[in-house]
Amino acid sequence: MKKTMIAAAVALGVASISTQAMARDSIYIVGSSTVFPFSTAVAETFGRTTSFATPKVESTGSGGGLKLFCAGVGVDHPDITNASRRMKGSEFDTCQENGVKDITEVKIGFDGISIANSKAAGRYNLTLREIFLALAKDIPDGKGGFMANPNQTWHDVNPDFPNNKIEVLGPPPTSGTRDAFAELAMEGGCKTFPEIKALKTTDKSKYKAVCHGLREDGAYIEAGENDNLIVQKLVANHSALGIFGFSFLDQNGDKVQGSKIEGIEPTYDSISDGSYPISRSLYFYVKDAHVGTIPGIEEYIAEFTSEKAWGPEGYLADKGLIALPDAERASVAKAAKALTPMSKPE
């Protein structure tokens, strides 16, 4: 009995030491490549102006970040994840199953998804229907069915377009930008075909497969989570187009230009007022269980939701973030500082 008690005490001591060794003194953030520049700017300001360590920020994509975030509670798991789309109900369920119970959702502003090309080339003016016809894996065959997308050049999509090969660099499936692009641009164009729109009521899974399915024959090229790399490739290849958030377009306006979508340019004002067709909200999510254990989380939230950061004239506006309306900003900031747990998304 005595030996057993001694062994238990030693084991407890080792466990205690291991726990201390594993403890972190800095915030660990993962997620969206679109939110990454904003989160990094806040992290750097936070580290510079407070007594807390500068948070570690990794760009993993929205889906990848939420997977890491929802994997569990403890110092091995992220404290915050960024997302360029709202958390899905299925992701919320995964969090709950893994013990990540209370989650605070912070909507930080708006972003537009740009379809850009080199400034050395002509600017495109695309409709959502043309985007779908260029990038969909399957399109209507005109006989009531579907066929593999035969369009090889932009001229095939619209005779007024140049005879350039369809070559679009875009995000992978783990990216929130990819999800938002599929929902807003691809599905927006898909619904212009009455025969596909009818599928939404008769066969939802088929409808989603057709409307969200992107080509796998080389016309759509997965370029990873590094949006800066896409910009570099557009500069090198004047006939290619790239898909990324407005903030990257704004930061690289000397090299690339955003296509007009339905005749509307991607600008701060057109995204803010909702007239630009491919606009979406941006978020970050906080693991409430880590507050008080990992130092600085509440203070980081306060910095991010301060007017000097996310306000219309804040330093994040200089990075391309489109601010929420005043009343919504105040409401979100209040809920964020109170660490109000979110309910399951629709």
Side-chain angles (χ1 to χ4, degrees):
M1 174 68 95
K2 189 174 181 181
K3 286 182 179 179
T4 303
M5 289 174 68
I6 292 169
V10 170
L12 186 62
V14 170
S16 176
I17 291 167
S18 298
T19 302
Q20 289 171 17
M22 287 170 61
R24 282 191 280 109
D25 66 354
S26 62
I27 301 166
Y28 177 31
I29 304 169
V30 295
S32 164
S33 63
T34 301
V35 181
F36 176 77
F38 309 134
S39 187
T40 299
V42 174
E44 289 172 350
T45 302
F46 177 76
R48 192 173 60 247
T49 59
T50 72
S51 59
F52 297 100
T54 301
K56 177 185 177 184
V57 187
E58 291 181 355
S59 176
T60 64
S62 297
L66 282 158
K67 187 175 181 180
L68 291 167
F69 179 84
C70 289
V73 172
V75 293
D76 291 336
H77 304 287
D79 311 306
I80 295 172
T81 190
N82 301 319
S84 57
R85 58 161 172 81
R86 198 168 188 225
M87 179 186 283
K88 297 174 183 176
S90 58
E91 291 165 332
F92 183 86
D93 289 341
T94 299
C95 268
Q96 300 300 303
E97 290 162 11
N98 291 330
V100 183
K101 299 294 185 182
D102 290 340
I103 304 162
T104 297
E105 178 183 73
V106 184
K107 183 178 175 183
I108 65 168
F110 304 112
D111 184 41
I113 300 174
S114 56
I115 304 176
N117 66 338
S118 167
K119 290 194 89 166
R123 172 177 271 169
Y124 282 85
N125 186 351
L126 301 166
T127 64
L128 296 178
R129 187 185 182 101
E130 287 162 351
I131 293 168
F132 176 77
L133 287 173
L135 296 178
K137 184 176 181 181
D138 298 306
I139 64 173
D141 62 4
K143 304 171 187 176
F146 297 93
M147 61 181 176
N149 194 334
N151 296 319
Q152 297 300 309
T153 70
W154 285 101
H155 186 75
D156 294 335
V157 172
N158 182 335
D160 293 333
F161 289 161
N163 201 29
N164 292 340
K165 179 183 175 184
I166 297 171
E167 198 173 358
V168 180
L169 301 153
T174 53
S175 169
T177 300
R178 165 86 163 250
D179 291 336
F181 181 77
E183 183 180 338
L184 299 170
M186 295 294 290
E187 189 173 336
C190 190
K191 290 189 292 191
T192 65
F193 295 89
E195 62 270 39
I196 305 180
K197 191 175 182 180
L199 273 178
K200 193 168 186 178
T201 53
T202 60
D203 190 342
K204 281 188 177 180
S205 59
K206 176 70 172 175
Y207 170 82
K208 187 171 182 180
V210 171
C211 288
H212 290 206
L214 287 165
R215 297 173 74 161
E216 299 170 353
D217 58 358
Y220 181 85
I221 303 155
E222 288 184 11
E225 296 287 359
N226 189 340
D227 293 338
N228 282 313
L229 185 61
I230 297 179
V231 171
Q232 290 169 22
K233 289 186 175 181
L234 297 184
V235 172
N237 182 355
H238 294 176
S239 37
L241 283 85
I243 299 168
F244 43 77
F246 170 74
S247 60
F248 283 91
L249 175 66
D250 192 47
Q251 294 296 304
N252 294 280
D254 57 329
K255 305 182 195 80
V256 293
Q257 59 192 351
S259 304
K260 291 182 178 179
I261 307 296
E262 303 289 351
I264 299 168
E265 283 187 46
T267 64
Y268 186 102
D269 290 338
S270 67
I271 295 165
S272 180
D273 66 19
S275 61
Y276 181 69
I278 321 178
S279 304
R280 45 50 188 291
S281 301
L282 304 177
Y283 304 84
F284 69 80
Y285 293 89
V286 180
K287 194 171 293 177
D288 292 0
H290 284 199
V291 175
T293 300
I294 306 299
I297 293 177
E298 288 176 288
E299 291 81 0
Y300 173 85
I301 294 168
E303 173 64 31
F304 208 127
T305 59
S306 68
E307 284 301 290
K308 66 177 180 177
W310 75 346
E313 307 298 326
Y315 61 79
L316 294 181
D318 294 336
K319 297 282 184 184
L321 181 69
I322 287 107
L324 297 171
D326 293 350
E328 186 176 9
R329 220 164 50 250
S331 172
V332 171
K334 184 178 179 181
K337 287 166 189 172
L339 294 170
T340 306
M342 68 184 289
S343 50
K344 182 176 176 177
E346 293 284 331

